[in-house]
Amino acid sequence: MVNDQAERLRQRLNSLKTQAKSIAVMSGKGGVGKSNFSLNFSLALQKENKRVLLFDLDIGMGNIDILIGESSKYSIVDFFQKDLSLSDIISTGPDGLEYISGGSGLGTIFKLDETKFQRFLQQLDLLFKVYDYIIFDMGAGISEDSLRFLLSVDEIIVITTPEPTSMTDAYSAIKHVCLNHPTIPFSIVVNRAFNKKVGDSTYSRFAQTITQFLSRQVSLLGIIPDDSTIMKAVIDQKPVLLYQPNCQASKALITISKDFIRTKSTDVEVVDSTPFISKLKNFFMKGR
C-alpha cells in the first residue's frame, strides 16, 4: 500500500504544472475548533476539485486521527525515525482526503541533524508540486518551531470565537507573528457564532483592535454558526461536512471554501524550490 501511494504521487508529479499554496491554520488557545476547521475546510476544498494535503503539525498532540476515528499507520515521526519518505506516511482519510498524522514522541524537528532536516525539505518540496493546497494544522498557541512554519507560509487563517478570552489569545498570537513578519496576510474565521450579527460584531471588534494596535489589516474569511451538529459529529468521530452536509455549519464551510478559492489563485508556475521551502531552510540554518 505504501508503494502504491508513492507511485500515485510520482505520477501526479509528472503531470502537474502548479505550485501548492501553503496555508497555516492557527488559534490563540486550544478548544476553539481549529483542528475541526482544518479537517472540514480541507474536505470542502477537495469537494471543489482541489488537490489538498492536510498536515497535522501539532506533533505529539495531533487531533486529526481522533476527529476521523482512525489510527494512522504512519506519522511524521516515522519519517524521521524509520527513514520513510513523506509520500510513504500520507494516510487516506474520509472522502479520500490525504493527510499526514502528527504522531507522538518527537519534540521538535528543528533540532534534528542537518541531513535529516534537508531530506525533510526536499521531500516536502516535491509535495508542493503535487497539490493545490497544503494546509498545516498548527498546535494551539505559538512555539519556537510553529513560529518558523507560520513565518514561511503564504497565508494564515486564524480561528477565534466570540468569547473574549479567545479573541484576546488570538490577538496575542497575531501580534507575535506580526513582530517577525509585518506583511503576511491573515484571514479570520469566527467560529461558534450564535448568529450572523454576533459573528459580524466579533470580527469588527477584532479587526479594529488589530488595526489600532498592530497597524495591520485582516480579512474576514467566514462565520461558522454555533451548530450542535458539530459536537454530535465530533462524538461520532466524523467530519461534520460528511456527517450532515446540509446543516448550518456544513453550509458555512462550503461557502468559506468557495470564497477562498474565488479570491485566492493557486496557478503559480513551478520553480526549483518554493518560497515556503526556502524560508524554512533559512530558519533552520540560522538556528544552527
Side-chain angles (χ1 to χ4, degrees), residues 24-26 34-35 57-58 136-140 146-147 149-150:
V25 181
M26 77 169 191
K34 172 187 57 62
S35 294
L57 269 182
D58 194 359
F136 296 101
D137 181 38
M138 312 301 297
S146 65
L147 179 61
F149 273 89
L150 289 166

Side-chain angles (χ1 to χ4, degrees), residues 38-88:
S38 297
L39 172 60
N40 286 284
F41 180 57
S42 298
L43 286 167
L45 289 174
Q46 188 169 274
K47 285 182 177 297
E48 299 299 319
N49 298 315
K50 297 300 180 182
R51 296 172 295 261
V52 181
L53 175 66
L54 176 58
F55 200 141
D56 191 343
L57 269 182
D58 194 359
I59 298 174
M61 300 288 287
N63 288 323
I64 301 302
D65 278 338
I66 297 172
L67 288 171
I68 64 177
E70 296 182 9
S71 180
S72 301
K73 185 176 181 180
Y74 299 111
S75 72
I76 184 61
V77 179
D78 295 301
F79 171 82
F80 292 110
Q81 295 183 350
K82 297 180 180 179
D83 287 331
L84 298 176
S85 69
L86 284 184
S87 60
D88 288 336

Side-chain angles (χ1 to χ4, degrees), residues 206-249:
F206 189 71
Q208 192 173 41
T209 301
I210 297 294
T211 300
Q212 180 178 352
F213 294 103
L214 300 180
S215 300
R216 285 293 310 275
Q217 300 292 322
V218 295
S219 62
L220 177 64
L221 181 55
I223 298 169
I224 302 174
D226 188 20
D227 189 338
S228 62
T229 310
I230 295 178
M231 183 54 67
K232 294 176 183 177
V234 171
I235 292 173
D236 283 353
Q237 294 182 290
K238 296 178 181 177
V240 69
L241 206 66
L242 305 180
Y243 182 81
Q244 183 49 264
N246 294 318
C247 73
Q248 293 303 309

Side-chain angles (χ1 to χ4, degrees), residues 258-275:
K258 289 182 177 180
D259 289 345
F260 187 86
I261 292 170
R262 187 177 66 249
T263 57
K264 317 288 183 181
S265 173
T266 59
D267 295 329
V268 181
E269 182 181 355
V270 173
V271 292
D272 290 338
S273 183
T274 69

Side-chain angles (χ1 to χ4, degrees), residues 17-182:
K17 297 181 179 179
T18 58
Q19 191 73 271
K21 186 178 182 68
S22 54
I23 305 163
V25 181
M26 77 169 191
S27 64
K29 67 170 188 174
V32 299
K34 172 187 57 62
S35 294
N36 210 351
F37 172 82
S38 297
L39 172 60
N40 286 284
F41 180 57
S42 298
L43 286 167
L45 289 174
Q46 188 169 274
K47 285 182 177 297
E48 299 299 319
N49 298 315
K50 297 300 180 182
R51 296 172 295 261
V52 181
L53 175 66
L54 176 58
F55 200 141
D56 191 343
L57 269 182
D58 194 359
I59 298 174
M61 300 288 287
N63 288 323
I64 301 302
D65 278 338
I66 297 172
L67 288 171
I68 64 177
E70 296 182 9
S71 180
S72 301
K73 185 176 181 180
Y74 299 111
S75 72
I76 184 61
V77 179
D78 295 301
F79 171 82
F80 292 110
Q81 295 183 350
K82 297 180 180 179
D83 287 331
L84 298 176
S85 69
L86 284 184
S87 60
D88 288 336
I89 66 170
I90 293 175
S91 299
T92 302
D95 218 27
L97 177 68
E98 294 177 343
Y99 71 99
I100 293 177
S101 171
S104 60
L106 186 67
T108 173
I109 67 172
F110 280 90
K111 301 212 182 323
L112 297 166
D113 65 71
E114 185 171 351
T115 300
K116 286 188 176 182
F117 191 78
Q118 292 290 355
R119 178 171 167 267
F120 171 70
L121 291 181
Q122 290 169 359
Q123 296 269 321
L124 189 57
D125 194 32
L126 290 176
L127 294 184
F128 268 83
K129 297 176 176 65
V130 174
Y131 297 93
D132 296 311
Y133 297 102
I134 295 182
I135 298 176
F136 296 101
D137 181 38
M138 312 301 297
I142 297 181
S143 66
E144 182 181 349
D145 272 8
S146 65
L147 179 61
R148 288 163 172 164
F149 273 89
L150 289 166
L151 298 177
S152 301
V153 297
D154 296 311
E155 179 164 346
I156 298 175
I157 296 176
V158 182
I159 312 300
T160 187
T161 73
E163 295 178 8
T165 53
S166 174
M167 294 173 64
T168 299
D169 288 343
Y171 167 81
S172 297
I174 291 176
K175 179 180 179 181
H176 199 45
V177 175
C178 285
L179 289 174
N180 293 275
H181 193 325

